[in-house]
Amino acid sequence: MQIRHSTSTLKRVVLLFAALSAGAAQAQQTPPPPQVSVAKPVVRETVDNDEFIGRFQASEQVSIRSRVGGYLQSVNFKDGQLVKQGDELFEIDQRPFVTAYNQAAAQLAVARSTLTYAQSEFDRVNTLVKSGSQTVSTLDDRRKELQSAQANLQGAQASVERAQLDLTYSKITAPLSGRINRHLISVGNLVQADQTELTTIVALDPIDFYFDIDERRLLNYAETARKNGNVLQEGGGGLKVSVRLGDRDQTKFEGTLNFAENTIDQATGTLRARARFANPGFVLQPGLFGRVEIEGSNSYTAILIPDEAISADQNERVVYVLNPDNTVTTKSVRPGPRLYGYRVIRSGLTGDEQIVVKGVVRVRPGVKVTPVTVELPKENPNDVPATAQEAVSAAGATK
């Protein structure tokens, strides 16, 4: 009896273990559907912005040199300060120029005296010729002396003007308003006329931004300029631009495209353009790196989705679309540039679909999911600066 009871107990244990194993295997074979976040794309009226990289340059720059030679007597500015047009910057030792001016003035006085005497002699002989007391040849001699005295007076006046000009040039003033560099020569050194560079001045308000435009987008801008009644090379077509100095969170500076070169660089296939910005606070400085944005299209209805909702399928880009039975399928899409923190979808979506925006790595075509519906904001708060590689990828995707 004990042997039968033990055998029966053993069978029940074996059957229970088998049932548990089968249940575990069945549970392992049918996992719960993965949970994903789904949302409709953002649909809004927008304008494409093309982005280029460039640097700021001074709208005007001048190298200060002296028009006269001499020893530098004084430097009348502080290195790096803002100067106004007409401010005195340097002074050359004026004593040689004062002496030259006094000498020229004395020669002018002699020339005037000589002319007065020649004029009186001419008048006297002319009167005597009329009475027959002097010959005509004597009158001709006096006329020659008068004309020579007049020419000498003109020469003496020119010498005074030149001496006065040199004396004025001994004080070197700012030809434009802007920020001055450090003085490149110290007091006591000899300054060579038209050769020795004393310092430089750059104009900061307004300031220019130079960048290169590729051929494809150049044609779009030229067409837009023509529609506005302008020419791209003549004033840049009046296109509005904005520049950021660092990441996308920094303040935009608004400006206007006002010039484009007349020849495309054959080596790079690009055309250099210039935008001008008001800079009353002198925040923008020559040499600063920045990213310029230009409106690259007319207004249109854009379909926008997060970058993380886009997957790669060999050489295609796809998104996962939720079906009514909670299964997902893929749709091929053609991405465009980034706007408002999202990626523009050129084709493939209508904007009414529910797409997977989070949990893309957990789904496959035909898989059933547990959807959690979310709403995408009009602008992505998690927007981050686009890298140079992203910019290149976006440009390639829009072709």
Side-chain angles (χ1 to χ4, degrees):
M1 294 296 293
Q2 293 180 352
I3 295 175
R4 290 180 180 178
H5 179 73
S6 299
T7 303
S8 176
T9 301
L10 180 60
K11 287 181 178 180
R12 286 196 298 268
V13 171
V14 171
L15 290 175
L16 179 60
F17 179 76
L20 292 174
S21 299
Q26 185 177 3
Q28 186 175 7
Q29 291 177 359
T30 57
Q35 181 175 305
V36 296
S37 297
V38 297
K40 286 187 176 182
V42 176
V43 180
R44 60 184 297 181
E45 290 294 317
T46 188
V47 174
D48 284 349
N49 286 334
D50 294 330
E51 187 176 86
F52 303 95
I53 296 173
R55 288 191 181 275
F56 283 97
Q57 293 186 21
S59 56
E60 301 289 345
Q61 181 172 345
V62 61
S63 176
I64 305 298
R65 289 178 169 84
S66 175
R67 297 187 181 187
V68 295
Y71 287 92
L72 186 63
Q73 184 171 339
S74 65
V75 177
N76 303 322
F77 64 90
K78 183 180 178 181
D79 290 353
Q81 77 174 62
L82 290 170
V83 297
K84 295 182 179 180
Q85 184 177 4
D87 286 353
E88 186 177 321
L89 305 178
F90 299 93
E91 183 176 338
I92 306 294
D93 186 2
Q94 291 187 324
R95 289 173 295 180
F97 304 106
V98 172
T99 300
Y101 175 77
N102 292 335
Q103 183 178 4
Q107 292 175 350
L108 177 61
V110 172
R112 285 174 177 168
S113 176
T114 302
L115 177 60
T116 301
Y117 176 76
Q119 182 68 55
S120 63
E121 283 294 301
F122 175 80
D123 293 340
R124 184 176 62 83
V125 172
N126 187 33
T127 302
L128 295 175
V129 168
K130 290 179 180 179
S131 63
S133 301
Q134 285 287 350
T135 62
V136 175
S137 61
T138 303
L139 179 63
D140 291 339
D141 291 338
R142 297 298 177 267
R143 181 181 290 109
K144 180 180 178 181
E145 292 173 356
L146 176 61
Q147 292 174 346
S148 177
Q150 290 173 340
N152 288 337
L153 178 62
Q154 292 178 351
Q157 288 175 336
S159 297
V160 170
E161 291 174 359
R162 179 54 188 267
Q164 179 64 50
L165 197 60
D166 288 344
L167 183 59
T168 302
Y169 286 157
S170 65
K171 291 186 177 181
I172 302 165
T173 59
L176 55 86
S177 299
R179 190 172 298 281
I180 198 167
N181 197 4
R182 64 183 179 88
H183 62 281
L184 302 178
I185 185 171
S186 300
V187 172
N189 283 290
L190 178 63
V191 176
Q192 299 287 341
D194 301 323
Q195 296 182 15
T196 305
E197 184 179 12
L198 303 177
T199 188
T200 57
I201 301 176
V202 293
L204 298 179
D205 185 22
I207 193 170
D208 293 333
F209 185 85
Y210 286 87
F211 58 99
D212 295 328
I213 303 174
D214 60 85
E215 293 184 35
R216 179 178 60 84
R217 285 177 282 191
L218 168 64
L219 298 177
N220 294 336
Y221 302 147
E223 182 180 357
T224 302
R226 286 193 296 270
K227 289 181 180 179
N228 294 337
N230 298 318
V231 179
L232 189 63
Q233 281 76 14
E234 298 178 7
L239 300 179
K240 301 299 181 182
V241 302
S242 61
V243 162
R244 286 188 174 96
L245 298 183
D247 57 44
R248 293 176 183 266
D249 295 330
Q250 290 191 351
T251 305
K252 283 184 178 181
F253 297 89
E254 305 295 334
T256 305
L257 192 69
N258 72 337
F259 170 75
E261 291 184 347
N262 57 3
T263 304
I264 296 176
D265 190 328
Q266 297 182 2
T268 62
T270 59
L271 184 75
R272 178 147 296 185
R274 182 184 71 197
R276 180 155 290 182
F277 295 81
N279 189 30
F282 308 117
V283 176
L284 304 175
Q285 296 291 321
L288 281 177
F289 166 89
R291 296 176 182 271
V292 62
E293 292 182 356
I294 308 177
E295 292 185 359
S297 69
N298 295 323
S299 178
Y300 69 98
T301 303
I303 298 174
L304 310 171
I305 65 174
D307 275 333
E308 54 267 26
I310 304 175
S311 301
D313 184 6
Q314 295 183 357
N315 62 342
E316 289 186 335
R317 296 293 182 268
V318 298
V319 297
Y320 289 96
V321 179
L322 182 68
N323 296 321
D325 60 355
N326 287 343
T327 60
V328 294
T329 56
T330 58
K331 270 193 174 183
S332 297
V333 295
R334 184 166 67 92
R338 284 176 60 89
L339 290 176
Y340 311 111
Y342 295 109
R343 182 68 62 184
V344 175
I345 299 301
R346 296 295 194 193
S347 63
L349 296 178
T350 63
D352 296 327
E353 303 90 343
Q354 291 276 356
I355 64 171
V356 179
V357 294
K358 287 186 179 181
V360 174
V361 295
R362 296 194 294 270
V363 299
R364 295 290 183 273
V367 171
K368 195 168 186 176
V369 298
T370 303
V372 177
T373 303
V374 298
E375 184 178 355
L376 297 176
K378 290 295 184 181
E379 294 191 17
N380 187 359
N382 298 322
D383 184 21
V384 296
T387 63
Q389 183 61 39
E390 287 177 339
V392 172
S393 301
T398 58
K399 293 182 179 179

